[in-house]
Amino acid sequence: MARVADLVESLARAGATVATAESLTGGLVVAALTDIPGASAVVRGGVVVYATDLKSELAGVPAETLRRDGPVAASTAAAMAEGVRQRCAATYGVATTGVAGPDPQDGHLPGTLHVAVAGPVGTRVESISELRGDRSAIRAAAVHHALSLLAEMVQGARESQPGSGR
């Protein structure tokens, strides 16, 4: 992933904004973004939705998705990203959910994570099921994957703009 400062700069150049809905990472994604000077021009806000019911109430995950797939699922991450994007009126919504450990959760082993980004050209989800490391390493990897996916989506949107040379 490019440096977070480069990502914030890319968002600003595009006139784009971002909001986060975080479970696994507990606010680390929005913290990484807001560590960068000038982030106030692009970061709309974020919600930490550690509890399953808050994934629905604050991030807009349909109750049926949570009943059917559970809180640790690609579909839940996608719905979180879409929900926070809409609720915060942001160009992009970023979401993280998974299991950092040390114990399994709902039948999922530590190192299972789903990150999602919803934006103007759709929603993408990245799922990883075998990350290794302690709780801090898994959470740091989730932040890295979420910001990398956001950077890819922002770059892809810029390249699809008229006059981008493509």
Side-chain angles (χ1 to χ4, degrees):
M1 178 195 71
R3 293 178 328 120
V4 178
D6 294 337
L7 174 56
V8 169
E9 184 179 318
S10 291
L11 286 162
R13 266 195 320 270
T17 57
V18 63
T20 66
E22 301 180 64
S23 182
L24 170 70
T25 50
L28 294 173
V29 173
V30 78
L33 291 166
T34 59
D35 273 349
I36 305 303
S40 60
V42 300
V43 176
R44 294 278 301 153
V47 294
V48 174
V49 290
Y50 230 57
T52 300
D53 61 318
L54 293 183
K55 287 174 179 62
S56 180
E57 292 174 24
L58 297 179
V61 179
E64 175 56 30
T65 299
L66 290 168
R67 271 193 301 279
R68 182 186 65 235
D69 302 333
V72 179
S75 59
T76 299
M80 288 168 61
E82 292 161 0
V84 79
R85 176 182 184 235
Q86 186 271 325
R87 288 173 180 217
C88 291
T91 311
Y92 294 94
V94 179
T96 63
T97 189
V99 183
D103 299 316
Q105 177 187 341
D106 297 326
H108 301 284
L109 295 174
T112 300
L113 68 94
H114 306 279
V115 298
V117 175
V121 296
T123 301
R124 288 184 50 197
V125 179
E126 183 176 309
S127 297
I128 299 165
S129 60
E130 296 187 13
L131 277 176
R132 298 290 178 238
D134 64 9
R135 184 174 177 79
S136 293
I138 290 168
R139 288 165 39 107
V143 171
H144 173 79
H145 285 285
L147 293 176
S148 293
L149 186 57
L150 175 60
E152 289 173 21
M153 295 276 289
V154 170
Q155 181 64 33
R158 288 182 63 217
E159 290 172 356
S160 68
Q161 295 284 326
S164 66
R166 287 193 153 192

